[in-house]
Amino acid sequence: MEIKKTPRADLEKDKSLHLLMGLVVALAILFVGFEWGEKDIEVATDSGIAAVIDEEDIDMTVQNELPPPPPPEPEVIKEPDILEIVEDEEKVESIQIASSEDDASHAQTETYVAPVVEEEEEVDDNFVFVTVEKMPEFPGGDAALLKWISDNIVYPPIAAENGIQGRVSCQFTVNADGSVEDVQVVRAVDPNLDKEAIRVLRKVPRFKPGEQRGKPVRVKYSVPVRFKLQQ
């Protein structure tokens, strides 16, 4: 019995077409394989168009380590300069000033001495000194002054009756003309004795006035007036 095939079941008629299509697909795949490499990078842009940029091989730069800086040089300490001491015995040359009018060869030594100006103190005539260069002096000295007081004093009767005695310390001012004024009691003993001491000292003869810088001035002077009863 003869087997009959339908035209649909005949596979031989499209064999060449299928082979050609397979060859085209294989070549396309091979071509794409050659063109596509690991170095290609697909970059998408905003416009939707894909661009392929080749990635270049970048050599890695190795930074060499710098050598450590050299150690600092040790500081050199300079020895202090030695001062040469000149003894007093050595003579110092005088400075010579050449006059502009004369020749330079005729030099002359000039010594300038600044004048000394003494400022005189202005002293008020009414000022009373406590101590001066030359104190007031009673004619004959202190012993003569005490004798004059003893000869002119009058012992107060009331004080004598009550047996009051002692030393009254007094102070007065010797004026520039030697007169005495402003008699005061510095240390009192009894009102009657104090009053008598003031009375006597107001009658003291003129002193030789005290002097300051050779000029008569007013000076404070102290003297004791002694009251003593006779036994």
Side-chain angles (χ1 to χ4, degrees):
M1 180 176 177
E2 184 180 0
I3 300 173
K4 296 182 179 180
K5 298 180 180 179
T6 62
R8 295 178 179 178
D10 189 6
L11 301 176
E12 293 295 333
K13 63 177 181 179
D14 294 331
K15 181 179 180 180
S16 59
L17 179 61
H18 292 162
L19 180 62
L20 182 60
M21 292 179 62
L23 182 60
V24 171
V25 172
L27 291 176
I29 293 173
L30 182 62
F31 179 76
V32 171
F34 280 113
E35 292 296 330
W36 188 268
E38 294 180 357
K39 298 180 181 180
D40 297 336
I41 298 175
E42 184 177 356
V43 180
T45 61
D46 296 338
S47 61
I49 301 173
V52 177
I53 303 175
D54 294 338
E55 182 180 359
E56 298 180 356
D57 293 335
I58 301 174
D59 297 334
M60 182 177 295
T61 303
V62 179
Q63 184 175 3
N64 297 328
E65 297 182 0
L66 298 176
E73 298 181 359
E75 185 178 356
V76 179
I77 301 176
K78 296 179 65 179
E79 296 183 359
D81 298 334
I82 300 175
L83 300 178
E84 183 178 357
I85 300 175
V86 181
E87 297 181 358
D88 294 340
E89 296 179 356
E90 296 185 5
K91 296 182 179 180
V92 181
E93 296 181 358
S94 60
I95 301 174
Q96 294 184 344
I97 303 174
S99 176
S100 58
E101 297 179 357
D102 301 334
D103 296 334
S105 58
H106 297 85
Q108 58 181 4
T109 304
E110 296 182 358
T111 303
Y112 176 76
V113 180
V116 179
V117 179
E118 295 183 358
E119 295 183 358
E120 295 184 359
E121 297 181 359
E122 294 184 1
V123 180
D124 187 4
D125 294 338
N126 295 324
F127 182 79
V128 180
F129 289 85
V130 177
T131 57
V132 290
E133 296 175 353
K134 189 174 181 180
M135 292 296 292
E137 184 179 355
F138 186 79
D142 292 340
L145 174 61
L146 295 177
K147 185 178 183 305
W148 186 92
I149 294 174
S150 178
D151 294 340
N152 291 272
I153 199 168
V154 177
Y155 211 106
I158 297 177
E161 292 176 1
N162 294 325
I164 301 174
Q165 59 183 359
R167 185 179 66 178
V168 181
S169 297
C170 299
Q171 188 179 68
F172 51 85
T173 301
V174 178
N175 294 321
D177 59 356
S179 61
V180 174
E181 69 175 5
D182 193 20
V183 181
Q184 298 176 356
V185 175
V186 179
R187 184 177 180 181
V189 176
D190 178 78
N192 297 312
L193 299 182
D194 299 342
K195 185 177 179 180
E196 179 61 19
I198 293 175
R199 183 193 70 82
V200 172
L201 293 178
R202 285 177 176 174
K203 295 182 177 182
V204 172
R206 289 180 180 270
F207 281 70
K208 183 178 180 180
E211 295 182 1
Q212 181 71 12
R213 296 183 179 272
K215 179 182 178 181
V217 292
R218 305 177 71 201
V219 185
K220 284 286 185 182
Y221 196 92
S222 299
V223 62
V225 179
R226 191 180 297 273
F227 291 88
K228 187 175 182 180
L229 294 172
Q230 299 293 333
Q231 297 295 337

